[in-house]
Amino acid sequence: MSSSRKVLVVGGGIAGLTLAVALRRRGIAVDVVELAPRWDILGVGISLTGPTLRALAGIGLLDRCVAAAFGFDRIVFADAAGREVGALAMPRLAGPDYPATVAIARSALHDVLIRAAQELGASVTLGATVAALDQRGDAVAVEFSDGARAAYDLVVGCDGIHSAVRRLAFDQVPDASFTGLAVWRATMPRPAAIDCMRVFYGRKTKAGVNPHSRDDMFLFLVQPIADDCRPQADELHVVLRGQLDEFGGEVMAYVRDHVTDPRRIDYRPMNAFLLPAPWYRGRVLVIGDAAHTTTPHLATGAGIAIEDAVVLAELLASGLSVPELLDQFMARRFARCRLVVETAVKLGDMEKDTTIPIQAHFDLMRATFRKLAEPI
Ligand SMILES: Cc1cc2nc3c(=O)[nH]c(=O)nc-3n(C[C@H](O)[C@H](O)[C@H](O)COP(=O)(O)OP(=O)(O)OC[C@H]3O[C@@H](n4cnc5c(N)ncnc54)[C@H](O)[C@@H]3O)c2cc1C
């Protein structure tokens, strides 16, 4: 019976905690081990688009997430001078009473997930990981980093792009590919006029603002880079302001004035990764960024991690055998996640080619969001 199953979730990020909530909602026992000794979530914002909100509704987390976030129904596109050139109306997939999309501080999303996981009785251990996995018949024998041992019906690696579970269970895995892009993000107070995501296409970079609470918004800037180098930590604000120089208009002038504190700036070279199907070996599966890491061009990397978790919990509760449900999981997840990873990389490549008109970017985005609106 599904309710007697016991699952080990490795990694307490967005995928792992969502899976813990989704499993507990279905009455399935779950242990979560998280490598970090304490929750220390960087406070930059993240978008949750319609399909993600719909998935969160399925596990009873929509209201809490929306209450902690800032909701809107469209994305506005402008040129480098700040002149509007188009807008993308987003469908309200979570229901007419909910916004089409939200942005939320990562720390706020994490608070919602950890609180729900604990309320529902998931066991969460910090500062712990798996040391060894031994697949024996219908169970996986796990040895933890502190020497403890336990057996599980399924082990799910939700431990991100550098997944240790993937390393333990898979013989050969392709490397993540460097996209030639870096993403800057900085949090600042939200002016009242910024009530939805606004994206500005410059000649060298793309920038945007995204309101993630009543009081705050975050700036993002995508910059082509030659290699995986990082500016000096105490110089981040100076370098970012330089990148913003190509943008005119009121919004970007405000943003530039508020890029003052290097400690409030996050800079990341971007990699992309898609694990070939299937994402499991025996009874060890990886989901979220451990299986598919994407750039933020569709604001959907966490979204597909959340969907993975919701679909997996549904299948685990269905009464199917573990091999059957893993097979069905791949049938429902692979093509959709590949679409996100490959389209996001393509949008990034298009940004590097300044001869491609802005219209082509949002035509591709619109077509992809339409596809992602289909049921999972
Ligand atoms: C700049 C940027 C902007 C983004 N913006 C968006 C956005 O707007 N919308 C969106 O949907 N997505 C966005 N994403 C993508 C999103 O952040 C990721 O897809 C998402 O965080 C993946 O969640 P995860 O839980 O799979 O992995 P992670 O977030 O990497 O979490 C993995 C967890 O596992 C833990 N861990 C690692 N190793 C071990 C181990 N050996 N044992 C135990 N625990 C371990 C880690 O400490 C961590 O808690 C963005 C990504 C970036 C880089």
Side-chain angles (χ1 to χ4, degrees):
M1 289 296 294
S2 60
S3 59
S4 64
R5 283 183 170 150
K6 190 166 183 195
V7 176
L8 174 66
V9 173
V10 183
I14 293 171
L17 291 174
T18 306
L19 181 58
V21 172
L23 290 172
R24 290 305 303 135
R25 288 262 188 242
R26 305 262 179 188
I28 297 170
V30 56
D31 292 341
V32 180
V33 286
E34 161 59 45
L35 188 61
R38 73 190 82 81
W39 301 121
D40 195 8
I41 309 299
L42 193 72
V44 183
I46 184 171
S47 290
L48 305 176
T49 59
T52 313
L53 297 178
R54 181 178 60 190
L56 288 166
I59 53 168
L61 291 185
L62 179 61
D63 286 311
R64 289 186 191 191
C65 285
V66 169
F70 191 97
F72 48 91
D73 290 341
R74 65 195 185 121
I75 304 174
V76 174
F77 298 90
D79 63 17
R83 287 182 296 256
E84 275 189 36
V85 293
L88 207 56
M90 310 288 278
R92 292 190 162 206
L93 299 182
D97 298 333
Y98 294 97
T101 188
V102 303
I104 184 170
R106 272 181 193 266
S107 54
L109 174 61
H110 199 269
D111 282 351
V112 168
L113 295 175
I114 187 68
R115 197 164 308 151
Q118 286 172 337
E119 281 168 11
L120 290 164
S123 140
V124 181
T125 308
L126 293 174
T129 188
V130 289
L133 299 172
D134 184 8
Q135 308 221 28
R136 293 181 191 162
D138 285 352
V140 187
V142 177
E143 184 184 334
F144 293 96
S145 46
D146 63 359
R149 291 167 193 273
Y152 294 90
D153 298 285
L154 184 69
V155 172
V156 189
C158 302
D159 48 350
I161 187 168
H162 304 295
S163 172
V165 171
R166 201 178 58 212
R167 221 171 26 246
L168 288 171
F170 289 70
D171 284 333
Q172 286 206 320
V173 171
D175 290 333
S177 51
F178 174 53
T179 61
L181 295 169
V183 179
W184 295 80
R185 289 173 307 159
T187 306
M188 60 193 68
R190 178 183 77 90
I194 302 299
D195 57 1
C196 68
M197 190 198 289
R198 290 176 179 271
V199 184
F200 301 84
Y201 285 85
R203 270 180 308 104
K204 292 179 292 184
T205 64
K206 178 185 82 174
V209 289
N210 202 356
H212 66 275
S213 75
R214 253 172 48 99
D215 298 331
D216 292 315
M217 67 177 192
F218 64 92
L219 158 76
F220 57 90
L221 183 140
V222 184
Q223 176 197 354
I225 53 171
D227 52 39
D228 190 341
C229 61
R230 283 165 198 270
Q232 250 178 260
D234 59 352
E235 293 281 305
L236 286 173
H237 58 311
V238 179
V239 182
L240 177 53
R241 272 208 306 268
Q243 292 295 331
L244 288 166
D245 272 348
E246 66 167 318
F247 296 99
E250 253 176 62
V251 175
M252 281 301 163
Y254 171 90
V255 163
R256 241 187 331 270
D257 285 349
H258 285 79
V259 173
T260 50
D261 183 352
R263 291 163 308 177
R264 302 198 76 189
I265 297 171
D266 184 56
Y267 171 88
R268 277 163 209 258
M270 298 300 310
N271 291 311
F273 172 73
L274 181 67
L275 183 64
W279 298 337
Y280 60 85
R281 293 290 183 270
R283 287 168 174 257
V284 180
L285 168 74
V286 292
I287 67 168
D289 272 22
H292 43 72
T293 307
T294 176
T295 65
H297 286 82
L298 292 163
T300 301
I304 51 177
I306 287 169
E307 289 180 356
D308 286 349
V310 171
V311 170
L312 181 60
E314 178 196 318
L315 290 169
L316 269 161
S318 68
L320 290 171
S321 70
V322 170
E324 281 170 337
L325 75 87
L326 290 175
D327 205 35
Q328 288 209 9
F329 178 79
M330 290 313 303
R332 285 173 65 177
R333 297 307 302 154
F334 185 74
R336 187 172 170 89
C337 296
R338 180 171 61 191
L339 174 73
V340 171
V341 174
E342 290 181 352
T343 309
V345 169
K346 184 164 181 193
L347 285 164
D349 287 344
M350 287 164 70
E351 281 165 16
K352 287 182 243 164
D353 180 350
T354 50
T355 63
I356 295 178
I358 300 175
Q359 184 66 41
H361 294 244
F362 47 83
D363 283 349
L364 179 56
M365 273 188 227
R366 187 182 285 117
T368 311
F369 283 134
R370 198 171 294 140
K371 185 90 190 133
L372 292 174
E374 291 171 7
I376 52 174

